[in-house]
Amino acid sequence: MRTFRLAMAQMNATVGDFDGNAERIITSIHEARALGADLIAFPELALPGYPPEDLLLKPQFIRENRERLGLIAAECRDIAAVVGYIDADTDIYNAAALIHDGEIVGSYRKMYLPNYGVFDEDRYFAAGSECPVYTVNGSPVGVNICEDIWYATGPAVVQRAAGAELIVNINGSPFHAGKRAFREKMLATRASDNGLFVAYVNLVGGQDELVFDGASIIFGPDGEVVARAGQFEEQILIADLEVEAVFRSRLRDPRTRKERATDLAHIGKPIQPLDETAEVYAALTLGTRDYVRKCGFGKVLIALSGGIDSTLVAAVAADALGSDNVVGLAMPSRYSSEGSILDAMALTDNLGIELWTLPIEDAFNAYLGTLAPKFEGTEPGVAEETCSPAYGAT
């Protein structure tokens, strides 16, 4: 039985950090090779980071991306790798390089460029027009990128007709609540409709306002899950695919000829997806951690009113950054109740974070004096109360 050992590197890339991203990629290649993988796949634009946005308008950014790809290729020996990068000729492309034995042997250019929601790819990239299939260790492999797999008559159909037994789909797919289940239903349909393996590898981490959940997954030709990576964490997923079963199945099915396997082994323990509440909390934690880390900050200050909003923010920050890197800030004024102050103190004790207490009555009184001519004839009320940091309006 011909098997194919596939590795998928669910990595946390940083936009513009070519050295850091390339180091992560090279390290993962070496790890996958040591585990006997035939191919390791990395996410969409893993080398430059996703989404690079207006950095794509800088020629130097494109050149650096290509230079680092050459360094990665030199380290890729006795294993194949699919690496997301920016390809260029007279235009630029969202592309996936196939690397083997020190050389870039092929490049797939993304065909369907999303231009809705958080995506703006049609502004930056030209669309590809070819659907190559590569032979890796005796097995035909089709490579495509993110949006390409969402179309029922997209590149996967062309690659299946050209003999692909495995589709490697690399992604930069942002998280939102409920998306994972919808995405997996689509991927299962692509796998079963085309009678092949579909391997989906996704970015993980926060980048500005976006959070990528990972949740990389492999489906078999029957539409069933073969292997699943964790959510919101870096991981290399390894699976052995009995790709010869795909070939045997096609010999018995004449329909594929007119259009011109199913036993699987998972290395490691099966992983169950998070429930919806846990997904959202994990996304908040990861997004906070990566925003602080990637922007070069060390600690954060959080104004604590004793209410549920600042309590949740403080809990997320402590889980994301560690208690030593979070400082709570209480700013009592004439509107602060004893309960709110005690609640803020209990919160910092429970989370193990430092508490600064800075009374703001003098500063608040100075503001009221400045505004007194405009407030003449009125009684203090909601306006004064909601301007006080005791209510979290900082």
Side-chain angles (χ1 to χ4, degrees):
M1 178 68 71
R2 177 167 49 87
T3 62
F4 189 91
R5 177 163 289 187
L6 175 66
M8 299 199 300
Q10 185 169 282
M11 67 173 280
N12 188 340
T14 300
V15 171
D17 183 11
F18 290 111
D19 289 337
N21 296 339
E23 182 180 353
R24 270 183 158 87
I25 291 169
I26 291 170
T27 298
S28 296
I29 288 173
H30 291 168
E31 290 179 7
R33 181 175 57 213
L35 292 169
D38 295 303
L39 181 146
I40 180 169
F42 295 89
E44 179 178 13
L45 295 179
L47 180 52
Y50 187 89
E53 298 182 326
D54 281 3
L55 290 171
L56 293 166
L57 305 178
K58 298 179 179 294
Q60 179 61 29
F61 188 80
I62 310 299
R63 287 195 297 271
E64 287 192 39
N65 143 91
R66 185 66 191 219
E67 289 168 2
R68 296 313 193 287
L69 186 66
L71 296 177
I72 292 168
E75 295 287 336
C76 188
R77 301 284 180 178
D78 301 318
I79 188 175
V82 174
V83 179
Y85 80 112
I86 308 157
D87 196 8
D89 48 27
T90 57
D91 211 329
I92 63 172
Y93 304 86
N94 183 339
L98 180 68
I99 303 170
H100 184 256
D101 276 344
E103 296 184 2
I104 301 168
V105 297
S107 184
Y108 172 85
R109 294 170 173 177
K110 187 174 183 179
M111 297 180 68
Y112 290 92
L113 302 174
N115 216 49
Y116 56 85
V118 300
F119 303 106
D120 199 14
E121 291 193 29
D122 205 34
R123 174 187 176 196
Y124 299 107
F125 296 112
S129 58
E130 298 180 354
C131 303
V133 172
Y134 305 101
T135 300
V136 180
N137 196 20
S139 297
V141 178
V143 177
N144 53 51
I145 302 175
C146 202
E147 190 86 354
D148 293 334
I149 200 70
W150 286 84
Y151 290 82
T153 57
V157 174
V158 178
Q159 291 167 326
R160 186 278 312 269
E165 299 167 347
L166 164 66
I167 298 294
V168 173
N169 178 251
I170 67 172
N171 292 264
S173 182
F175 167 83
H176 64 71
K179 184 176 184 179
R180 179 189 54 78
F182 180 68
R183 183 171 63 201
E184 290 185 4
K185 183 178 180 180
M186 177 275 297
L187 292 168
T189 301
R190 294 294 170 272
S192 59
D193 281 355
N194 291 289
L196 43 62
F197 291 93
V198 171
Y200 170 98
V201 58
N202 192 23
L203 279 169
V204 66
Q207 184 63 45
D208 295 331
E209 76 278 13
L210 301 179
V211 177
F212 302 93
D213 58 331
S216 302
I217 194 166
I218 303 172
F219 285 92
D222 56 358
E224 296 298 320
V225 175
V226 177
R228 183 195 300 273
Q231 295 169 265
F232 306 103
E233 61 181 7
E234 288 191 293
Q235 180 182 348
I236 297 179
L237 179 66
I238 302 280
D240 288 333
L241 313 179
E242 293 192 357
V243 289
E244 189 169 316
V246 176
F247 181 68
R248 287 204 316 267
S249 176
R250 290 176 182 174
L251 292 178
R252 295 180 175 88
D253 186 352
R255 290 175 299 173
T256 57
R257 299 186 186 124
K258 295 181 185 299
E259 293 177 354
R260 329 255 109 123
T262 57
D263 289 329
L264 310 157
H266 173 232
I267 297 177
K269 296 180 180 179
I271 295 175
Q272 295 300 316
L274 301 173
D275 63 38
E276 186 170 345
T277 301
E279 273 190 343
V280 171
Y281 190 82
L284 291 170
T285 304
L286 178 59
T288 299
R289 179 186 305 118
D290 275 4
Y291 182 84
V292 172
R293 178 179 65 84
K294 292 179 180 180
C295 289
F297 300 128
K299 291 191 174 185
V300 297
L301 292 171
I302 299 174
L304 302 178
S305 66
I308 192 169
D309 292 344
S310 60
T311 296
L312 177 58
V313 172
V316 168
D319 283 344
L321 308 172
S323 299
D324 291 344
N325 296 315
V326 180
V327 176
L329 185 61
M331 295 176 285
S333 74
R334 68 187 69 178
Y335 292 112
S336 301
S337 68
E338 182 180 2
S340 67
I341 296 172
L342 292 176
D343 286 346
M345 294 174 65
L347 172 67
T348 56
D349 285 343
N350 290 338
L351 294 179
I353 65 176
E354 186 178 359
L355 175 64
W356 294 355
T357 301
L358 303 177
I360 53 129
E361 180 59 32
D362 289 345
F364 186 50
N365 197 46
Y367 278 117
L368 293 179
T370 301
L371 295 171
K374 300 300 181 183
F375 284 7
E376 187 175 357
T378 65
E379 294 295 325
V382 175
E384 286 82 359
E385 293 179 13
T386 55
C387 283
S388 169
Y391 283 78
T394 56

